[in-house]
Every structure is written in C-alpha cells, then in structure tokens.
Amino acid sequence: FDIDGNILDKYSSIVTGATQINNSVSSVKFTLDDINNKGIDPKIAIQRFLEAIDDNTILVAHNAEFDGSIIKRDSKKYKLKVPHARVFCTMKSSTNYCKIKNKYGYKWPSLNELATCMNIENNENNFHDAIYDCSITKDCFLKGIKEGIFDV
C-alpha cells in the first residue's frame, strides 16, 4: 500500500511443508492436509514476495521480527537476494501506546488488541487470514502515522 492507503499489490497463498499447526489459535482456517496438498512450494512464495519489494520499500508488519526471520531463512535457503527495505513493526512500536499490563510491565499487543486500542473496526474471527491481517495492519499503521503514535 502507499502512504494514502491505496493497495498496490495483494497476494496470498498457502505454502507447503508445515509439519504442525498451532491448535491454540482457533481462527486458523486450514489443515495440514490443505497445506501439503493445496499449497505452493515455499521458493515460489518467497520469490513472489521479493519481486514485490525493493530498496525503497518500507515493510510494515505486526511482529516483523518473526516474519523477517522466515524471509531471511528462506531467501538464504534458496539463495535469493533480499532488497534492503526498511522494516516497521506495529507490534513493538505500539506497546507503550496500548499499555496492556503483564507481570513484566507492558506486553506486546496482538494485532486484535492494537486494532481495538486504536478503535479500528475488526472481527477477531477473521484474524490469521493473511489478507485480513495485512488490511488491519495497514489501517493501524496509517492511523498511527496520522495521529502521531508511530514515527517512521
């Protein structure tokens, strides 16, 4: 998406190779059979992602460290060049804004918690769908920029 929120590209696929699914996440909408029978090769997925970014891209993600570790791992595995895009994490950048207490201070908010704190309409049953998560992350990021919560 651009700074005005216009979606520039949209893509989602199931990737083969999973050996387990976190069953504690009730909103996951696919099974291991779906992944391994309907999914695409991880190399194709990472290539498609890398084709969509360049050195001038700002990658916005909720839990960017996790997403980035998968991108780095797979690009190294398949010997693919990763552009030097900037990365912005809505999860870590919103901790002090959401102020959700735990025994250590404030916890990193889930995407649902961040959207709720920012009064962004969301449906918790739709999370863990890539396109939906990206849309909510986009809305949180743009509102955070507009309201001075995020500094990029």
Side-chain angles (χ1 to χ4, degrees):
F1 62 90
D2 64 17
I3 194 66
D4 296 319
N6 300 308
I7 296 175
L8 304 174
D9 195 6
K10 186 187 294 191
Y11 176 75
S12 176
S13 63
I14 296 173
V15 178
T16 61
T19 56
Q20 66 182 26
I21 293 177
N22 183 348
N23 291 327
S24 68
V25 180
S26 62
S27 57
V28 171
K29 296 166 182 55
F30 44 83
T31 66
L32 280 175
D33 284 341
D34 290 335
I35 291 169
N36 293 309
N37 295 323
K38 300 175 188 171
I40 65 169
D41 185 277
K43 184 176 182 180
I44 294 169
I46 193 75
Q47 284 174 318
R48 172 73 171 80
F49 173 77
L50 294 174
E51 288 169 2
I53 64 173
D54 61 30
D55 290 347
N56 298 311
T57 301
I58 300 175
L59 294 172
V60 177
H62 196 80
N63 196 356
E65 189 174 317
F66 173 78
D67 296 338
S69 70
I70 293 169
I71 293 164
K72 287 176 188 172
R73 180 199 68 203
D74 286 355
S75 60
K76 184 177 180 178
K77 177 179 178 179
Y78 300 117
K79 297 177 174 58
L80 301 170
K81 184 183 181 300
V82 179
H84 296 286
R86 289 178 39 202
V87 177
F88 185 89
C89 181
T90 56
M91 181 184 76
K92 289 188 177 179
S93 297
S94 63
T95 304
N96 289 327
Y97 170 77
C98 291
K99 294 183 165 68
I100 301 169
K101 291 186 178 185
N102 67 12
K103 63 182 178 181
Y104 305 107
Y106 297 135
K107 77 177 204 74
W108 293 325
S110 68
L111 184 53
N112 183 11
E113 290 168 335
L114 173 58
T116 300
C117 284
M118 297 182 95
N119 295 313
I120 292 173
E121 188 175 325
N122 68 86
N123 181 332
E124 68 181 274
N125 294 320
N126 291 337
F127 285 102
H128 301 287
D129 171 89
I131 298 294
Y132 185 79
D133 288 359
C134 286
S135 177
I136 296 296
T137 300
K138 172 188 71 97
D139 293 346
C140 290
F141 177 73
L142 293 173
K143 185 170 185 175
I145 294 290
K146 182 180 178 183
E147 295 186 1
I149 298 163
F150 299 145
D151 182 27
V152 180

